Amino acid sequence: MSLDNLSINFATVRQAGSFGAIVDACLRHGITAISPWREHVAEAGLVEAARIVASNGLRVTGHCRGGFFSAADAAGRRAAIEDNRRAIDEAAALSASCLVMVVGGLPKGSRDLSGARQMVEDGFAEILPYARQQGVKLALEPLHPFYAAERACLNTLKQALDLCDKLGEGTGVAIDVYHLWWDPELEEQVARAGRNGQIVAHHICDWLVPTVDPLNDRGMMGDGVIDLGRFRAMIENAGYRGPQEVEIFSHRWQARPVDEVLATIVDRYQTVCQTITGAAAAT
Amino acid sequence: MSLDNLSINFATVRQAGSFGAIVDACLRHGITAISPWREHVAEAGLVEAARIVASNGLRVTGHCRGGFFSAADAAGRRAAIEDNRRAIDEAAALSASCLVMVVGGLPKGSRDLSGARQMVEDGFAEILPYARQQGVKLALEPLHPFYAAERACLNTLKQALDLCDKLGEGTGVAIDVYHLWWDPELEEQVARAGRNGQIVAHHICDWLVPTVDPLNDRGMMGDGVIDLGRFRAMIENAGYRGPQEVEIFSHRWQARPVDEVLATIVDRYQTVCQTITGAAAAT
């Protein structure tokens, strides 16, 4: 089965080391789509990272990450805007399909959630013209409600899509199974996103029972309770046939040799992550 | 300020010991509304528990808890129905305002979330006639999406209200700030619940940053990021003037002397849990 639609988010295999070392590990397993983090790019240098991408014919399914718009004061919000511009430049240089946006939670000391949400909307409005100019799509990623205070006050697909509708062209959503699998309105909202061409990234992993650490105990596909085949079918029915990007934050998996992790991912991708018709495997 | 509208869920002060000991502790602090758990009632004996309630003129703002309808096989689902009937009997004997329903998550080994949700609906449909006959209101409690797999596949207020609308008379919702504070549709759904007279319980605590344990690290009111005054105002604007029930699952607070916990609760109730107009304090 083709692995063209399998992408590895660098957070999944950060134990491999540098940008180049992670790419080499992916290539050893026949994987040619990646999603790096800014720190990996910074360490390698943007020019060198872009060279590695181009010379290996890699597809960059997302650059991680922009966002964190909500801040306690105007200087903090201004700094976030500037930082997002740099992230957009990087995403453009890497020819990334999107810049993944984790929007930020409550500013320190604040209990004003709707105020934070307004800051996020304002932040997007401010950087969007620049992103459009650079040809970089912004992927709004709704995060699990568990992260509302600390990471992202965008917490359902509906909320993210409503914001995309407001912002307009150049925006879309990153649909991560971990964050959204529980949502009773999931199917309806995925269909809506597909109808409007707003699905720009699809992240996979699994939800473990029990989840002992909400930050770093995500599961390998197949080890948890998410029906990944059904989830993928839902996305394909919505018209999306793009990559599945594996993003597993896990102390357990980060303690294992990178080749074991990647071999397991390839195996699970070919089994539990496919729809019955296997359309996901075709590019 | 009157404490008539302050209720203590027994889980908050379980270190006090028995049903009688917890009631005594509440009375020492001028608190006359309680919400016991089934194990406390079982240990005391239902007749004795009801006697303690009646002889002290206590208000029982909820009996904890029924539900857990979803099970791997028919025998399990049958057992759940029988157990819920007993819980209804207890709630009736205690003259509880409602039986709090934690509906159950995914059956062991299952990844079929919509199937589990159907089991929950079927379970409610089966016990509701008996609850009506006994005069016991069923309080559907949407739980934070973090608990979707293990405890409750009812995860938003909208979802709970949609189910109440389907089930009809004799049902309502328990609105717990911990589970719902993040929801972008909260205000709209609270207003809807109020309009339809469906708010039957209001639970309070706080969301800590960071939350180190999603099960037993709930915060004391005022120690976290939930704007409790604003939340209460939202509920009062929806027409609910009933009790605020303090339910704090916390290893930290359970390690402290019960009188310290209750004194802190009374203090926080009178400060951070009131709307600006203070209407919450009036019965």
Side-chain angles (χ1 to χ4, degrees), chain B residues 5-239:
Chain B
N5 249 346
L6 171 62
S7 172
I8 300 296
N9 185 293
F10 279 20
T12 307
V13 287
R14 63 180 58 173
Q15 67 270 48
S18 68
F19 192 103
I22 294 177
V23 166
D24 288 344
C26 289
L27 292 173
R28 279 200 299 279
H29 293 264
I31 298 163
T32 55
I34 59 167
S35 180
W37 281 61
R38 296 187 67 195
E39 58 254 40
H40 293 108
V41 173
E43 202 193 297
L46 181 56
V47 171
E48 171 63 5
R51 188 199 63 75
I52 293 172
V53 166
S55 68
N56 289 287
L58 302 176
R59 179 156 57 147
V60 178
T61 60
H63 184 41
C64 290
R65 57 192 186 185
F68 287 95
F69 291 113
S70 41
D73 57 27
R77 290 191 292 278
R78 173 56 39 207
I81 296 294
E82 293 312 315
D83 194 50
N84 274 289
R85 286 173 177 270
R86 287 190 293 275
I88 289 167
D89 290 338
E90 293 162 21
L94 296 167
S95 304
S97 308
C98 63
L99 176 63
V100 176
M101 305 296 287
V102 172
V103 302
L106 285 170
K108 208 173 162 56
S110 167
R111 292 189 176 90
D112 184 4
L113 191 57
S114 49
R117 286 169 170 161
Q118 189 58 54
M119 285 180 196
V120 167
E121 184 176 333
D122 294 346
F124 272 113
E126 194 155 346
I127 64 159
L128 186 53
Y130 187 67
R132 284 181 186 142
Q133 187 187 311
Q134 299 299 102
V136 170
K137 181 91 78 169
L138 301 180
L140 281 63
E141 183 166 19
L143 256 54
H144 195 283
F146 193 88
Y147 307 113
E150 289 166 281
R151 272 175 184 70
C153 56
L154 205 58
N155 305 106
T156 64
L157 185 52
K158 176 173 191 296
Q159 187 193 7
L161 290 169
D162 287 349
L163 184 49
C164 285
D165 288 347
K166 247 181 170 172
L167 294 166
E169 197 208 316
T171 62
V173 290
I175 295 184
D176 187 315
V177 299
Y178 190 82
H179 297 304
L180 304 178
W181 73 278
W182 59 270
D183 186 349
E185 298 187 21
L186 185 62
E187 191 151 5
E188 168 190 343
Q189 295 299 324
V190 167
R192 165 189 172 188
R195 243 184 348 260
N196 300 325
Q198 290 167 315
I199 306 176
V200 297
H202 176 206
H203 300 172
I204 56 173
C205 66
D206 213 333
W207 182 280
L208 296 181
V209 172
T211 290
V212 295
D213 169 358
L215 267 186
N216 287 296
D217 193 29
R218 296 197 192 184
M220 174 64 64
M221 297 80 73
D223 289 349
V225 297
I226 304 177
D227 188 337
L228 291 162
R230 190 167 169 176
F231 202 116
R232 181 66 188 181
M234 195 193 314
I235 292 224
E236 291 186 4
N237 288 339

Side-chain angles (χ1 to χ4, degrees), chain A:
Chain A
M1 179 186 294
S2 161
L3 298 182
D4 286 357
N5 249 346
L6 171 61
S7 172
I8 299 296
N9 184 294
F10 279 18
T12 307
V13 286
R14 63 180 60 173
Q15 67 269 47
S18 69
F19 191 103
I22 294 176
V23 165
D24 289 344
C26 289
L27 291 173
R28 280 200 299 279
H29 292 266
I31 298 164
T32 55
I34 59 166
S35 180
W37 282 60
R38 295 188 68 193
E39 59 253 40
H40 293 108
V41 174
E43 202 192 297
L46 181 58
V47 171
E48 171 63 6
R51 189 199 63 75
I52 294 173
V53 166
S55 67
N56 290 286
L58 302 176
R59 178 156 56 148
V60 178
T61 60
H63 183 43
C64 292
R65 59 191 182 185
F68 288 95
F69 292 114
S70 42
D73 56 28
R77 292 192 290 281
R78 171 57 37 206
I81 296 295
E82 292 313 315
D83 195 50
N84 274 289
R85 284 173 178 269
R86 286 190 292 273
I88 289 167
D89 290 338
E90 293 163 20
L94 296 168
S95 304
S97 308
C98 63
L99 176 63
V100 176
M101 304 297 287
V102 172
V103 303
L106 285 171
K108 205 170 165 59
S110 166
R111 293 188 174 90
D112 183 5
L113 190 56
S114 49
R117 285 167 172 162
Q118 188 58 52
M119 286 180 197
V120 167
E121 184 178 332
D122 294 346
F124 272 113
E126 192 154 347
I127 64 161
L128 186 54
Y130 186 68
R132 284 182 187 139
Q133 188 188 312
Q134 298 299 102
V136 171
K137 181 91 80 170
L138 301 180
L140 282 62
E141 183 166 20
L143 255 55
H144 195 285
F146 193 87
Y147 306 113
E150 287 166 282
R151 271 176 186 68
C153 56
L154 204 57
N155 304 107
T156 66
L157 185 52
K158 177 173 190 298
Q159 186 192 7
L161 290 169
D162 286 349
L163 184 51
C164 285
D165 288 349
K166 247 181 170 173
L167 295 167
E169 198 207 318
T171 63
V173 291
I175 295 183
D176 186 315
V177 299
Y178 190 81
H179 297 305
L180 304 177
W181 73 279
W182 59 270
D183 187 349
E185 299 186 23
L186 185 62
E187 191 152 5
E188 168 190 342
Q189 296 300 322
V190 167
R192 165 189 171 187
R195 239 183 353 258
N196 301 326
Q198 290 166 316
I199 306 177
V200 296
H202 176 205
H203 300 172
I204 56 172
C205 67
D206 212 335
W207 183 279
L208 297 180
V209 172
T211 290
V212 295
D213 170 357
L215 267 187
N216 288 295
D217 193 29
R218 297 196 190 185
M220 175 64 65
M221 296 80 72
D223 289 348
V225 298
I226 303 177
D227 188 337
L228 291 162
R230 190 165 166 178
F231 202 116
R232 181 68 188 179
M234 195 192 315
I235 291 225
E236 291 186 4
N237 287 339
Y240 178 83
R241 293 279 193 284
Q244 305 196 48
E245 177 185 318
V246 180
E247 186 180 40
I248 306 176
F249 296 94
S250 164
H251 289 315
R252 308 180 203 214
W253 285 100
Q254 259 147 47
R256 301 204 193 174
V258 66
D259 285 301
E260 181 193 334
V261 177
L262 288 169
T264 307
I265 285 173
V266 167
D267 173 63
R268 301 296 175 83
Y269 172 72
Q270 294 181 322
T271 50
V272 297
C273 302
Q274 304 300 321
T275 60
I276 290 164
T277 56
T283 29

